[in-house]
Amino acid sequence: MSDSYLLIDDVKKEFQREGDTPLRVIDGLTVHVENGALLSILGPSGCGKSTLLNIINGLDDVTSGRIVINGTEIGVKSRSAVKIGVIFQEPRLLNWRTVRDNVRLPLDEMKIPRAEANERVDRYLDLVGLAEFGDYYPLRLSGGMRQRVSLARGLAIEPDLLLADEPFSALDEITARKLRLELVRIWQATGRTIVFVTHNIREAVFLSTRMLVVTARPCTTHLDLPIDIPHPRLPEDDRLFEIEKQVTRDFMRMEEASA
Protein backbone atom coordinates (compact mmCIF):
# COMPACT_ATOMS: atom_id res chain seq x y z
CA MET A 1 0.00 0.00 0.00
CA SER A 2 2.60 2.53 -1.13
CA ASP A 3 -0.16 5.09 -1.81
CA SER A 4 -1.07 5.40 1.88
CA TYR A 5 -1.36 9.05 2.89
CA LEU A 6 -0.19 8.25 6.42
CA LEU A 7 1.98 5.18 6.84
CA ILE A 8 2.94 3.86 10.27
CA ASP A 9 5.42 1.21 9.22
CA ASP A 10 6.52 -1.41 11.79
CA VAL A 11 7.10 1.28 14.40
CA LYS A 12 8.85 0.37 17.63
CA LYS A 13 9.55 2.83 20.42
CA GLU A 14 11.69 2.23 23.49
CA PHE A 15 12.74 4.55 26.29
CA GLN A 16 16.11 3.99 27.95
CA ARG A 17 16.09 3.37 31.71
CA GLU A 18 19.19 3.74 33.80
CA GLY A 19 20.22 0.42 35.30
CA ASP A 20 17.33 -1.44 33.69
CA THR A 21 16.25 -2.82 30.33
CA PRO A 22 14.65 -0.32 27.92
CA LEU A 23 10.92 0.25 28.30
CA ARG A 24 9.21 -0.75 25.07
CA VAL A 25 6.05 1.31 24.58
CA ILE A 26 5.19 0.52 20.93
CA ASP A 27 5.97 -2.87 19.43
CA GLY A 28 5.81 -3.23 15.67
CA LEU A 29 2.74 -1.11 14.92
CA THR A 30 1.78 -0.95 11.24
CA VAL A 31 -1.13 1.13 9.94
CA HIS A 32 -1.99 2.39 6.44
CA VAL A 33 -4.29 5.43 6.41
CA GLU A 34 -5.86 6.67 3.19
CA ASN A 35 -6.15 10.34 2.26
CA GLY A 36 -9.25 11.97 3.75
CA ALA A 37 -9.82 9.24 6.36
CA LEU A 38 -10.94 9.84 9.91
CA LEU A 39 -9.05 7.21 11.87
CA SER A 40 -9.73 6.79 15.58
CA ILE A 41 -7.23 5.11 17.88
CA LEU A 42 -8.60 3.41 20.96
CA GLY A 43 -6.65 1.57 23.63
CA PRO A 44 -6.16 1.07 27.38
CA SER A 45 -4.79 3.90 29.51
CA GLY A 46 -1.02 4.10 29.37
CA CYS A 47 -0.74 1.93 26.27
CA GLY A 48 1.31 4.42 24.23
CA LYS A 49 -1.30 6.38 22.27
CA SER A 50 0.13 9.76 23.26
CA THR A 51 3.64 8.54 22.51
CA LEU A 52 2.45 7.54 19.04
CA LEU A 53 0.91 10.99 18.48
CA ASN A 54 4.17 12.64 19.54
CA ILE A 55 6.05 10.53 17.00
CA ILE A 56 3.58 11.31 14.22
CA ASN A 57 3.88 14.99 15.16
CA GLY A 58 7.67 14.84 14.87
CA LEU A 59 8.22 15.59 18.55
CA ASP A 60 10.01 12.28 19.11
CA ASP A 61 11.77 9.74 16.91
CA VAL A 62 10.99 6.06 16.43
CA THR A 63 13.41 3.47 17.76
CA SER A 64 12.87 1.56 14.54
CA GLY A 65 10.38 1.63 11.68
CA ARG A 66 9.14 4.83 10.07
CA ILE A 67 6.30 7.34 9.86
CA VAL A 68 5.52 8.70 6.38
CA ILE A 69 3.03 11.51 5.68
CA ASN A 70 2.17 12.16 2.06
CA GLY A 71 5.51 10.74 0.91
CA THR A 72 7.67 12.51 3.53
CA GLU A 73 9.34 10.47 6.27
CA ILE A 74 8.79 12.20 9.59
CA GLY A 75 11.18 12.64 12.48
CA VAL A 76 12.38 15.36 14.82
CA LYS A 77 14.77 16.73 12.18
CA SER A 78 12.19 16.64 9.36
CA ARG A 79 9.20 17.91 11.33
CA SER A 80 9.11 21.21 9.48
CA ALA A 81 8.68 19.39 6.14
CA VAL A 82 4.97 18.83 6.81
CA LYS A 83 2.22 20.86 8.47
CA ILE A 84 0.50 19.06 11.33
CA GLY A 85 -2.40 20.60 13.22
CA VAL A 86 -3.16 19.45 16.77
CA ILE A 87 -6.28 19.68 18.92
CA PHE A 88 -5.55 18.87 22.56
CA GLN A 89 -7.77 17.71 25.40
CA GLU A 90 -7.53 21.26 26.77
CA PRO A 91 -7.84 24.17 24.31
CA ARG A 92 -4.50 25.71 25.38
CA LEU A 93 -5.53 29.23 24.45
CA LEU A 94 -3.75 32.39 25.60
CA ASN A 95 -6.27 34.18 27.79
CA TRP A 96 -4.72 37.61 27.19
CA ARG A 97 -5.18 37.29 23.41
CA THR A 98 -8.46 37.58 21.55
CA VAL A 99 -9.98 34.60 19.80
CA ARG A 100 -8.79 35.99 16.46
CA ASP A 101 -5.24 36.49 17.76
CA ASN A 102 -5.17 32.94 19.18
CA VAL A 103 -6.13 31.46 15.83
CA ARG A 104 -3.61 33.66 13.99
CA LEU A 105 -0.71 32.82 16.33
CA PRO A 106 0.64 29.78 14.42
CA LEU A 107 0.23 31.67 11.14
CA ASP A 108 2.40 34.48 12.48
CA GLU A 109 5.00 31.90 13.52
CA MET A 110 4.88 30.51 9.98
CA LYS A 111 5.39 34.08 8.67
CA ILE A 112 2.19 33.97 6.63
CA PRO A 113 1.54 37.48 5.23
CA ARG A 114 -0.85 39.33 7.50
CA ALA A 115 -3.58 39.80 4.88
CA GLU A 116 -3.63 36.08 4.06
CA ALA A 117 -3.46 35.18 7.76
CA ASN A 118 -6.43 37.39 8.56
CA GLU A 119 -8.42 35.88 5.69
CA ARG A 120 -7.70 32.37 6.98
CA VAL A 121 -8.61 33.33 10.55
CA ASP A 122 -11.97 34.71 9.43
CA ARG A 123 -12.64 31.71 7.17
CA TYR A 124 -11.97 29.08 9.83
CA LEU A 125 -13.75 30.96 12.62
CA ASP A 126 -16.75 31.06 10.31
CA LEU A 127 -16.34 27.33 9.61
CA VAL A 128 -16.48 26.48 13.33
CA GLY A 129 -19.41 28.84 13.91
CA LEU A 130 -17.54 31.59 15.79
CA ALA A 131 -17.41 34.36 13.20
CA GLU A 132 -19.05 36.79 15.63
CA PHE A 133 -16.66 36.03 18.51
CA GLY A 134 -13.30 36.99 17.04
CA ASP A 135 -12.82 39.95 19.40
CA TYR A 136 -13.78 38.01 22.53
CA TYR A 137 -11.22 36.76 25.02
CA PRO A 138 -11.20 33.02 25.84
CA LEU A 139 -12.42 33.41 29.41
CA ARG A 140 -15.68 34.87 28.10
CA LEU A 141 -16.41 31.67 26.15
CA SER A 142 -17.88 28.34 27.20
CA GLY A 143 -15.71 25.22 27.25
CA GLY A 144 -17.22 24.01 23.99
CA MET A 145 -16.60 27.36 22.30
CA ARG A 146 -12.98 27.39 23.46
CA GLN A 147 -12.53 23.95 21.93
CA ARG A 148 -13.97 25.29 18.67
CA VAL A 149 -11.31 28.01 18.75
CA SER A 150 -8.68 25.32 19.20
CA LEU A 151 -10.11 23.48 16.19
CA ALA A 152 -10.05 26.66 14.09
CA ARG A 153 -6.41 27.23 15.08
CA GLY A 154 -5.48 23.67 14.09
CA LEU A 155 -7.21 24.05 10.73
CA ALA A 156 -5.93 27.54 9.94
CA ILE A 157 -2.44 26.27 9.14
CA GLU A 158 -4.18 24.11 6.49
CA PRO A 159 -2.42 21.00 7.76
CA ASP A 160 -1.30 17.93 5.89
CA LEU A 161 -2.65 15.98 8.87
CA LEU A 162 -4.85 16.90 11.85
CA LEU A 163 -4.21 15.12 15.16
CA ALA A 164 -6.90 15.18 17.85
CA ASP A 165 -5.88 13.98 21.33
CA GLU A 166 -9.11 13.30 23.27
CA PRO A 167 -10.41 16.80 22.46
CA PHE A 168 -13.93 16.28 23.87
CA SER A 169 -13.16 14.20 26.97
CA ALA A 170 -13.29 17.16 29.38
CA LEU A 171 -16.70 18.32 28.12
CA ASP A 172 -20.15 17.31 29.29
CA GLU A 173 -21.85 14.73 27.07
CA ILE A 174 -24.35 17.11 25.47
CA THR A 175 -21.59 19.55 24.45
CA ALA A 176 -19.36 16.71 23.32
CA ARG A 177 -22.15 15.28 21.15
CA LYS A 178 -22.66 18.66 19.47
CA LEU A 179 -18.94 19.01 18.81
CA ARG A 180 -18.70 15.50 17.34
CA LEU A 181 -21.36 16.49 14.83
CA GLU A 182 -19.46 19.71 14.13
CA LEU A 183 -16.17 17.85 13.69
CA VAL A 184 -17.73 15.54 11.11
CA ARG A 185 -19.22 18.51 9.26
CA ILE A 186 -15.86 20.33 9.22
CA TRP A 187 -13.95 17.17 8.26
CA GLN A 188 -16.26 16.68 5.29
CA ALA A 189 -16.01 20.36 4.33
CA THR A 190 -12.20 20.44 4.43
CA GLY A 191 -11.31 16.89 3.32
CA ARG A 192 -8.50 16.74 5.90
CA THR A 193 -7.06 13.45 7.08
CA ILE A 194 -7.65 13.16 10.84
CA VAL A 195 -6.17 10.88 13.49
CA PHE A 196 -8.42 10.99 16.56
CA VAL A 197 -7.37 9.47 19.89
CA THR A 198 -10.14 8.63 22.36
CA HIS A 199 -11.06 6.37 25.27
CA ASN A 200 -14.73 6.54 24.28
CA ILE A 201 -15.86 3.58 22.15
CA ARG A 202 -19.17 5.21 21.22
CA GLU A 203 -17.37 8.37 20.12
CA ALA A 204 -14.90 6.38 18.01
CA VAL A 205 -17.64 4.37 16.30
CA PHE A 206 -19.72 7.47 15.57
CA LEU A 207 -16.88 9.55 14.12
CA SER A 208 -14.60 7.17 12.30
CA THR A 209 -14.19 5.78 8.85
CA ARG A 210 -11.79 3.33 10.57
CA MET A 211 -11.09 2.29 14.14
CA LEU A 212 -7.73 1.08 15.33
CA VAL A 213 -7.85 -0.72 18.67
CA VAL A 214 -4.39 -1.19 20.17
CA THR A 215 -3.22 -3.46 22.96
CA ALA A 216 -1.84 -2.59 26.37
CA ARG A 217 1.82 -1.58 26.50
CA PRO A 218 3.78 -2.35 24.47
CA CYS A 219 1.04 -1.47 22.03
CA THR A 220 0.44 -3.12 18.71
CA THR A 221 -2.65 -3.62 16.58
CA HIS A 222 -5.44 -5.62 18.19
CA LEU A 223 -8.27 -4.67 15.81
CA ASP A 224 -8.36 -2.63 12.60
CA LEU A 225 -12.01 -2.14 11.76
CA PRO A 226 -13.58 -0.15 8.90
CA ILE A 227 -16.80 1.69 9.81
CA ASP A 228 -18.66 1.56 6.51
CA ILE A 229 -21.84 3.40 7.54
CA PRO A 230 -21.98 6.57 5.42
CA HIS A 231 -21.91 10.08 6.85
CA PRO A 232 -23.85 11.99 8.00
CA ARG A 233 -24.69 9.56 10.80
CA LEU A 234 -27.24 9.69 13.59
CA PRO A 235 -25.98 8.89 17.10
CA GLU A 236 -29.06 6.70 17.64
CA ASP A 237 -28.41 4.54 14.54
CA ASP A 238 -28.81 0.88 15.55
CA ARG A 239 -26.03 -0.10 13.15
CA LEU A 240 -23.58 2.05 15.11
CA PHE A 241 -24.84 0.54 18.35
CA GLU A 242 -24.20 -2.99 17.07
CA ILE A 243 -20.63 -2.07 16.12
CA GLU A 244 -20.18 -0.43 19.53
CA LYS A 245 -21.34 -3.62 21.27
CA GLN A 246 -19.01 -5.73 19.14
CA VAL A 247 -15.99 -3.52 19.83
CA THR A 248 -16.83 -3.29 23.55
CA ARG A 249 -16.99 -7.08 23.89
CA ASP A 250 -13.72 -7.46 22.00
CA PHE A 251 -12.06 -4.71 24.03
CA MET A 252 -13.13 -6.28 27.33
CA ARG A 253 -11.79 -9.68 26.24
CA MET A 254 -8.48 -8.05 25.36
CA GLU A 255 -8.35 -6.32 28.77
CA GLU A 256 -9.13 -9.57 30.59
CA ALA A 257 -6.47 -11.48 28.63
CA SER A 258 -3.80 -8.92 29.55
CA ALA A 259 -4.78 -8.70 33.25
Side-chain angles (χ1 to χ4, degrees):
M1 298 182 66
S2 59
D3 59 345
S4 298
Y5 187 80
L6 166 64
L7 172 62
I8 302 169
D9 185 17
D10 195 24
V11 165
K12 296 181 175 66
K13 178 62 181 178
E14 294 179 344
F15 292 100
Q16 298 300 316
R17 296 186 290 184
E18 186 175 354
D20 203 346
T21 58
L23 176 66
R24 178 164 290 188
V25 177
I26 303 173
D27 190 19
L29 186 66
T30 295
V31 186
H32 302 264
V33 183
E34 62 274 19
N35 190 20
L38 202 166
L39 172 76
S40 64
I41 301 178
L42 182 80
S45 297
C47 70
K49 300 185 296 297
S50 294
T51 298
L52 178 61
L53 283 194
N54 285 339
I55 293 171
I56 296 172
N57 197 15
L59 299 177
D60 202 354
D61 284 321
V62 299
T63 301
S64 64
R66 60 187 181 134
I67 302 284
V68 181
I69 299 175
N70 198 21
T72 299
E73 188 165 342
I74 301 302
V76 172
K77 292 182 178 179
S78 61
R79 182 171 184 258
S80 60
V82 296
K83 292 182 293 184
I84 299 177
V86 184
I87 315 168
F88 299 98
Q89 182 174 347
E90 299 294 335
R92 299 190 182 185
L93 303 178
L94 302 179
N95 291 328
W96 58 92
R97 288 178 176 263
T98 66
V99 163
R100 185 172 284 107
D101 288 341
N102 269 280
V103 175
R104 194 177 57 235
L105 183 61
L107 303 181
D108 291 341
E109 293 175 352
M110 294 166 61
K111 302 189 185 308
I112 302 294
R114 180 54 64 97
E116 179 184 348
N118 287 339
E119 187 278 327
R120 286 199 203 179
V121 169
D122 291 341
R123 184 182 349 138
Y124 288 104
L125 282 178
D126 183 59
L127 189 64
V128 302
L130 293 177
E132 298 177 2
F133 295 88
D135 294 327
Y136 280 54
Y137 288 87
L139 292 179
R140 293 185 63 190
L141 305 179
S142 68
M145 293 171 74
R146 289 195 293 270
Q147 201 60 291
R148 288 172 188 253
V149 177
S150 177
L151 176 56
R153 182 181 57 193
L155 290 168
I157 67 170
E158 300 190 338
D160 299 296
L161 181 70
L162 184 65
L163 304 178
D165 190 2
E166 300 188 66
F168 307 145
S169 62
L171 302 173
D172 65 87
E173 179 56 28
I174 297 300
T175 302
R177 175 182 281 211
K178 291 177 181 177
L179 286 184
R180 289 176 200 131
L181 291 167
E182 284 297 295
L183 179 65
V184 170
R185 179 184 63 81
I186 292 165
W187 163 65
Q188 291 186 304
T190 61
R192 301 293 175 195
T193 304
I194 299 177
V195 175
F196 189 100
V197 167
T198 179
H199 283 99
N200 187 322
I201 295 174
R202 177 168 296 178
E203 178 173 74
V205 171
F206 176 74
L207 290 174
S208 311
T209 57
R210 280 176 61 199
M211 281 183 66
L212 180 71
V213 180
V214 296
T215 64
R217 191 179 70 233
C219 86
T220 190
T221 300
H222 175 71
L223 180 66
D224 189 342
L225 179 68
I227 310 294
D228 294 327
I229 298 168
H231 287 281
R233 299 169 179 168
L234 295 174
E236 299 80 10
D237 192 322
D238 287 340
R239 295 171 297 175
L240 295 175
F241 185 55
E242 288 302 317
I243 296 171
E244 180 188 343
K245 289 195 297 183
Q246 171 194 336
V247 173
T248 300
R249 287 193 297 265
D250 198 270
F251 192 88
M252 295 304 296
R253 284 195 294 266
M254 179 186 70
E255 290 270 77
E256 291 167 1
S258 63

